[in-house]
C-alpha cells in the first residue's frame, strides 16, 4: 500500500526535466490520460497510471475523481506588481509617463497597513483563481506593503518571493527615501520574513534610474549579508529608459553593466523585460547565471518592444514568464502564453505549446532557482498544482473535440483559454481555490 492522505484521478501533463533547448522539451514531456496523483504531507508522493495505481488505493480513503480535467503543475509568475492591481488597464502612456501618471499615485496608498492588507488579500486570491501558485512580486516602498503580502501568503503556506521597492531619486517626495533608510528597512524585512514558511525575500531596487550609487551600494551590501535572498529589478524595457540610464550612468558600457558593477547579477537575480539588450548584456546574463522575465502582455500594452525568445535560448539564459500586472493586462497565465505566442510569431518564431507550458511551470521555477521544490509532479516536490477544465465554453468544446493530441489541446488552451478554465488550485497539498459552480 502507498501511504497517502489524498489521491486524485485525472489526466496529467508536466515536463520531467529542465531543458537545454526548445527542441529538448518535448522529449521531457509526460502525459498520462488516466493517472492517479498521491499526496502526503503537502508533497507529491507518486504519480502513477491508473492500471498501476488502482492496487494501492485504500478501500476507505479511495480517490477524488477528476476525470475530464487536466492537472498541471501550478503556474509560476516570474514578475508581477501587487500594488498595481487596482490600476490595471490604465490608458495611453508608455513606461516613464505611465509611472508618473498612474503608478506612483496608486503606490502612495500602501503606507496604510489596512489598505495594503485588503489589496494583498485580493491580489493573492487573483493569483490562485488564475492557477498561479508561485510568484515573484514587487511591493511598494512601504514596509507595510511587504508585511501585508507575506502575511497573506504565509496564511496559505504559499511559495512566494517578494520585497520592498527601494528608490532614492527621480520619484515623488512621498515615495522617496534615503539609501540608509532603504537599507535599514529592507534588512529588517529580510530578518522578519526570509525563509519563513515557504517565503523568500527579494531585494528590490525599482530600476537604475531611481537608484543613486549609494542605494545600489546598499543593495550590494544586503546581498553580501544575505546571499540566499533574491534580487529583483527591471532591465531594458523601454528605449527612452535605456537612454536615461546612459545619461545617468555614462561611465558604464550598457544598462546591465550598472547592476553588474554592484555585483547584483548572479544566481537568484531576476531582471524583468530585457527586451533591448546588446550581445554583451546577454553574455553577462549567461556568464553570471542570472535570469530574465518575459512579460508579453505588458510589453505590448506599453508599446515597449518584442522580447527575443530565440536569443534567450541561444544564449542559454534562464527565463520565466511574467504577467507584470498592472502594465500587464491579465493574471491568467493561459492568456499570457497566448500573447507570448503572438510576440514570437511577429519574429518568425513558432512557440510550441510544450515550450510555452514549460516556461510557465518548470522553466519558471528553474529561472527562480526553485526547480528543486516545484515545477512538475516528481515525488518529493511540493504539491502545488492546478486543475483545468479544458472546455468551459461552447467554442472551446467544439474545438477541443477536434484536438488530435495533448499538444493541440494545450495550444487551444493557451489561445482560447483564460481564468474560466481554472477549476481548482492546490497549494502545499491543500485545495485553496475552487470554482464555485463545481462545489
Amino acid at each position: 500500500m502507498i501511504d497517502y492522505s489524498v489521491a486524485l484521478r485525472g489526466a496529467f501533463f508536466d515536463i520531467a526535466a529542465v531543458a537545454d533547448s526548445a527542441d529538448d522539451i518535448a522529449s521531457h514531456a509526460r502525459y498520462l490520460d488516466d493517472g492517479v496523483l498521491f499526496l502526503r504531507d503537502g508533497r507529491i508522493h507518486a504519480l502513477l497510471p491508473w492500471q498501476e495505481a488502482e492496487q494501492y488505493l485504500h478501500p476507505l480513503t479511495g480517490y477524488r475523481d477528476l476525470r475530464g480535467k487536466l492537472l498541471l503543475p501550478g503556474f509560476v509568475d516570474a514578475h508581477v506588481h501587487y500594488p498595481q492591481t487596482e490600476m490595471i488597464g490604465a490608458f495611453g502612456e508608455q513606461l516613464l509617463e505611465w509611472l508618473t501618471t498612474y503608478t506612483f499615485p496608486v503606490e502612495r496608498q500602501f503606507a496604510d497597513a489596512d489598505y495594503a492588507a485588503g489589496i494583498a488579500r485580493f491580489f493573492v486570491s487573483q493569483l490562485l483563481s488564475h492557477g498561479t501558485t508561485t510568484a515573484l512580486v514587487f511591493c511598494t516602498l512601504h514596509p507595510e506593503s511587504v508585511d501585508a503580502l507575506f502575511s497573506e501568503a504565509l496564511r496559505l503556506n504559499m511559495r512566494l518571493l517578494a520585497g520592498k521597492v527601494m528608490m532614492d531619486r527621480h520619484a515623488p517626495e512621498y515615495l522617496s527615501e534615503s539609501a540608509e533608510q532603504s537599507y535599514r528597512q529592507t534588512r529588517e524585512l529580510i530578518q522578519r520574513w526570509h525563509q519563513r514558511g515557504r517565503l523568500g525575500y527579494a531585494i528590490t531596487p525599482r530600476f537604475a534610474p531611481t537608484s543613486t550609487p549609494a542605494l545600489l551600494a546598499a543593495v550590494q551590501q544586503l546581498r553580501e549579508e544575505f546571499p540566499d535572498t533574491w534580487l529583483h529589478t527591471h532591465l531594458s524595457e523601454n528605449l527612452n529608459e535605456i537612454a536615461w540610464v546612459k545619461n545617468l550612468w555614462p561611465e558604464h558600457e550598457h544598462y546591465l553593466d550598472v547592476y553588474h558593477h554592484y555585483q547584483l547579477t548572479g544566481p537568484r537575480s531576476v531582471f524583468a523585460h530585457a527586451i533591448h539588450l546588446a550581445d554583451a548584456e546577454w553574455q553577462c546574463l549567461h556568464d553570471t547565471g542570472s535570469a530574465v522575465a518575459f512579460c508579453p502582455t505588458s510589453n505590448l500594452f506599453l508599446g515597449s518592444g518584442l522580447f527575443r525568445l530565440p536569443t534567450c535560448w541561444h544564449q542559454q539564459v534562464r527565463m520565466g514568464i511574467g504577467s507584470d500586472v498592472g502594465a500587464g493586462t491579465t493574471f491568467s497565465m493561459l492568456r499570457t502564453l497566448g500573447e507570448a505566442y503572438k510576440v514570437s510569431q511577429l519574429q518568425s518564431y513558432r512557440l510550441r505549446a510544450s515550450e510555452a507550458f514549460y516556461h510557465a511551470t518548470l522553466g519558471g521555477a528553474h529561472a527562480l532557482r526553485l526547480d528543486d521544490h516545484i515545477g512538475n509532479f516528481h515525488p518529493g516536490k511540493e504539491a502545488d498544482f492546478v486543475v483545468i477544465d479544458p472546455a468551459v465554453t461552447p467554442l472551446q468544446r467544439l474545438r477541443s473535440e477536434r484536438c488530435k493530441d495533448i499538444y493541440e489541446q494545450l495550444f487551444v488552451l493557451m489561445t482560447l483559454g483564460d481564468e474560466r478554465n481554472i477549476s481548482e488550485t492546490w497549494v502545499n497539498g491543500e485545495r485553496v481555490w475552487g470554482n464555485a459552480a463545481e462545489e
Side-chain angles (χ1 to χ4, degrees), residues 381-435:
K381 287 200 174 179
E382 296 159 358
D384 293 350
F385 56 90
V386 58
V387 181
I388 289 181
D389 186 337
V392 296
T393 69
L395 178 60
Q396 287 179 0
R397 284 191 289 274
L398 177 70
R399 185 64 180 87
S400 182
E401 289 167 359
R402 288 154 174 78
C403 289
K404 63 181 183 294
D405 58 24
I406 183 59
Y407 298 106
E408 189 171 359
Q409 185 177 61
L410 289 170
F411 185 73
V412 169
L413 264 176
M414 66 185 249
T415 52
L416 300 181
D418 56 34
E419 58 272 25
R420 292 171 295 178
N421 295 95
I422 307 303
S423 178
E424 301 179 13
T425 303
W426 289 62
V427 166
N428 203 51
E430 299 288 338
R431 183 176 180 269
V432 295
W433 188 86
N435 189 329

Side-chain angles (χ1 to χ4, degrees), residues 274-291:
I275 300 171
H276 309 284
L277 297 183
D279 290 345
E281 291 175 288
W282 282 112
Q283 189 63 49
C284 180
L285 290 168
H286 167 80
D287 291 345
T288 58
S290 303

